[in-house]
Amino acid sequence: MLDCTLPELHEIIQTVMGWENKHPYRFEVAGTRYGDPARCSDGRRIKLSHLVKQGERQLEYVYDFDDNWRHTVEIESGFQPEKTAGFPVCLEGKGCCPPGQSGTPIS
């Protein structure tokens, strides 16, 4: 299984969204908030494989607390990547994310 910590997942999301990592973030999983240890639980040691073992397959990614961008991340399955493949890879959704610094989302 391709595995990563929550901060590494944050970096992957920033890359695939084309954002510049200019705002704070957190993950919310089963009622627990992970992110900056000064504000919530420390997510630096939490790996996706650990969450799956606990039965959690859905995370809420919150980015830019002023604008409150919320994204649901679903862990569909684990897999072994091809040795020659570059990762991360966005499989679907090209051009479908809001640009960074675009303001408050429409409700």
Side-chain angles (χ1 to χ4, degrees):
M1 174 179 188
L2 185 63
D3 204 3
C4 65
T5 63
L6 294 180
E8 290 168 334
L9 179 58
H10 161 71
E11 293 296 329
I12 291 168
I13 292 170
Q14 288 291 302
T15 299
V16 299
M17 294 292 226
W19 294 340
E20 298 175 353
N21 199 13
K22 292 184 176 184
H23 301 284
Y25 74 94
R26 72 174 174 262
F27 287 95
E28 298 176 4
V29 184
T32 302
R33 293 178 171 183
Y34 297 99
D36 178 359
R39 296 180 176 202
C40 52
S41 297
D42 187 353
R44 292 179 289 187
R45 293 187 179 171
I46 305 297
K47 290 193 165 200
L48 293 181
S49 60
H50 174 76
L51 296 174
V52 169
K53 285 178 186 175
Q54 291 182 334
E56 301 300 333
R57 292 192 166 267
Q58 196 170 73
L59 305 84
E60 190 82 10
Y61 175 69
V62 183
Y63 180 65
D64 188 352
F65 300 156
D66 290 333
D67 289 337
N68 199 35
W69 290 101
R70 300 180 82 76
H71 307 273
T72 300
V73 177
E74 284 191 47
I75 303 167
E76 292 184 356
S77 66
F79 66 96
Q80 290 297 326
E82 298 173 20
K83 291 182 181 184
T84 59
F87 285 90
V89 174
C90 182
L91 300 176
E92 294 180 34
K94 181 178 179 181
C96 292
C97 71
Q101 305 299 340
S102 63
T104 304
I106 298 172
S107 299

